[in-house]
Amino acid sequence: MMSQETKRFIGDLNLAELSQEMEALGEPVYRARQIFKWLYQKGISDWSEATDLPLSLREKLNRRFIIRPFELETCYESRDGTRKFVFRLRDDNFIETVLIPSGERRTLCLSTQVGCKFGCVFCASGLPGFIRNLSPAEITGQILFVRHDLEFSLTNFVFMGMGEPLDNFPSLAKAIEIMNSPEGMGIAARRITVSTCGLVPGIKKLKELRLQINLSLSLHGPNNELRRRLVPLGRRYSLEEVLSACEEYAESSGRMITLEYVLLDGINNSSKEAAQLAKIAHRLKAKINLIPYSPVPGLPYQRPAREAVEAFRDWLKERGAKVTVRQSKGLDIRAACGQLAGHFLSPK
Ligand code: SAH
């Protein structure tokens, strides 16, 4: 008997790899598709549920593969309906996933790493430092748990939780493949958004997937000096490099880029920055998503007053930019943008 420790996560295998595994086990290759259906369409959490597989195969699978890569540690529910799930990974690290209902939409905000390397100065996710990458199973597992074990139906998927998705590209790409493929979850690429703090080689790799995935750039500073100060990765890749990578992405994917811009009172919200931001949006034919800062304990930044947020939005609009203000949800449970820290800062 194999011990728990030597079992692998079934979700770390794509369809091609699972097919090879079937061959190695002396099973017909079509079993791989059958297993995919059980895992990603029916959402089983135990091999005994896969009732059309022969018992001998279920037993083999059970000896070799784990279906759920983590367990639910806690769940918080905000007054505004946002829910935050804290998952305990098998190595006792924690990740957080947020479900954001808004009108007809139910968006799931997914984590890709435990901690983060990039240290944007205003963000909580970088505070514990970088711990590790999530595996593909730990990424898709967030969807499976919420959709099947907790039975929430979901419409949109954003890689805006803990970590930098493009810094964990192999896992991200495999997770997206399983999410998007008809044999897997069958989620349209247009319902998936990847957000990055500007990892240029990653943007290029994402382009090579040739999918209509939405790309959001966490810009935050509309000139090199300010961007370097707020997003340290701006020291490695200049604004020009990052913008031209986004421009190429928009052209090849046919999707409109979103520029995310956190509003930090007195730091990046003057009319001068609005003018610079509008110019960038115009060049990229991008839309702008303003995010009034969500306070993080111990960090010295403040959210501007409502009037200041509106003034900044109006300066952008006057210059012809498409702009929305993100109503950051789940503030009372530390589930808002940039507040996820995997239990490091969780409430109570
Ligand atoms: N690493 C990726 C994914 C994180 S997405 C990225 O940087 O894009 C989370 C978004 O929330 C990013 O735009 C991030 O810069 C922003 N953010 C971080 N901390 C925040 C805070 N305290 N308040 C509001 N937005 C914040």
Side-chain angles (χ1 to χ4, degrees):
M1 228 355 205
M2 279 188 213
S3 71
Q4 274 291 107
E5 277 57 51
T6 58
K7 283 193 187 183
R8 297 164 68 196
F9 297 142
I10 190 75
D12 285 340
L13 275 57
N14 63 16
L15 190 59
E17 291 162 338
L18 187 56
S19 304
Q20 283 168 11
E21 190 71 27
M22 287 302 110
E23 268 193 299
L25 292 177
E27 295 284 339
V29 171
Y30 67 80
R31 293 285 183 219
R33 279 171 195 268
Q34 251 179 313
I35 294 172
F36 249 52
K37 199 166 189 179
W38 283 111
L39 293 173
Y40 299 113
Q41 288 161 27
K42 306 207 194 276
I44 58 166
S45 56
D46 192 288
W47 290 113
S48 64
E49 296 169 62
T51 47
D52 67 355
L53 300 181
L55 189 60
S56 62
L57 176 56
R58 276 186 262 157
E59 281 169 355
K60 280 186 209 170
L61 290 167
N62 191 41
R63 280 196 298 274
R64 286 172 176 78
F65 293 108
I66 296 171
I67 300 183
R68 290 286 181 265
F70 45 62
E71 53 192 62
L72 183 65
E73 174 80 3
T74 349
C75 172
Y76 302 95
E77 188 175 350
S78 163
R79 282 187 293 270
D80 64 24
T82 301
R83 284 185 168 81
K84 176 163 86 171
F85 308 103
V86 181
F87 294 115
R88 178 192 286 268
L89 306 177
R90 299 235 160 196
D91 62 1
D92 286 337
N93 278 305
F94 294 99
I95 53 164
E96 300 184 328
T97 307
V98 182
L99 172 63
I100 310 152
S102 171
E104 297 287 285
R105 279 189 188 206
R106 277 167 314 277
T107 301
L108 196 66
C109 179
L110 300 160
S111 291
T112 51
Q113 298 180 318
V114 185
C116 184
K117 293 174 195 168
F118 296 94
C120 298
V121 297
F122 46 81
C123 179
S125 297
L127 290 177
F130 175 71
I131 299 166
R132 70 170 175 87
N133 281 324
L134 297 187
S135 82
E138 290 168 326
I139 298 175
T140 56
Q142 298 168 60
I143 304 172
L144 295 175
F145 198 99
V146 174
R147 187 151 88 167
H148 298 284
D149 300 5
L150 305 176
E151 297 182 356
F152 287 103
S153 65
L154 302 169
T155 60
N156 295 71
F157 302 85
V158 298
F159 288 96
M160 296 189 183
M162 292 160 59
E164 165 54 45
L166 296 181
D167 185 47
N168 183 12
F169 194 81
S171 293
L172 177 77
K174 203 187 264 188
I176 287 177
E177 178 189 344
I178 291 170
M179 288 164 73
N180 183 234
S181 79
E183 297 86 2
M185 297 181 184
I187 298 167
R190 290 159 177 252
R191 297 197 172 271
I192 302 173
T193 300
V194 171
S195 179
T196 179
C197 59
L199 205 55
V200 170
I203 297 173
K204 297 188 170 157
K205 286 187 230 166
L206 191 69
K207 190 182 82 179
E208 293 312 317
L209 295 182
R210 309 218 162 273
L211 294 173
Q212 290 193 308
I213 308 261
N214 304 298
L215 178 65
S216 287
L217 173 68
S218 294
L219 185 68
H220 308 322
N223 58 66
N224 272 309
E225 195 256 316
L226 192 53
R227 184 161 150 85
R228 283 188 197 124
R229 190 141 59 87
L230 300 175
V231 180
L233 190 63
R235 296 174 204 156
R236 186 149 20 126
Y237 304 107
S238 68
L239 201 52
E240 182 47 43
E241 284 174 283
V242 105
L243 296 180
S244 63
C246 288
E247 216 165 13
E248 285 168 21
Y249 186 84
E251 266 167 34
S252 92
S253 66
R255 302 300 287 162
M256 191 186 274
I257 302 280
T258 299
L259 300 171
E260 297 171 272
Y261 195 91
V262 63
L263 288 170
L264 304 167
D265 196 32
I267 294 184
N268 66 354
N269 66 335
S270 75
S271 60
K272 183 182 119 208
E273 281 102 26
Q276 293 172 332
L277 176 56
K279 213 166 155 190
I280 292 173
H282 183 73
R283 165 177 165 193
L284 295 187
K285 301 187 193 71
K287 52 190 171 196
I288 300 166
N289 192 213
L290 299 175
I291 319 174
Y293 184 60
S294 328
V296 174
L299 297 184
Y301 304 97
Q302 248 111 61
R303 162 184 293 212
R306 202 168 55 112
E307 300 71 42
V309 171
E310 287 167 2
F312 196 83
R313 179 199 60 196
D314 292 343
W315 288 324
L316 292 168
K317 279 192 175 167
E318 283 160 21
R319 289 173 169 79
K322 280 196 198 66
V323 52
T324 49
V325 178
R326 188 181 298 177
Q327 299 307 334
S328 219
K329 292 196 154 201
L331 269 178
D332 53 335
I333 55 166
R334 284 195 194 140
C337 299
Q339 293 191 309
L340 302 184
H343 240 39
F344 189 74
L345 284 177
S346 277
K348 281 150 311 234

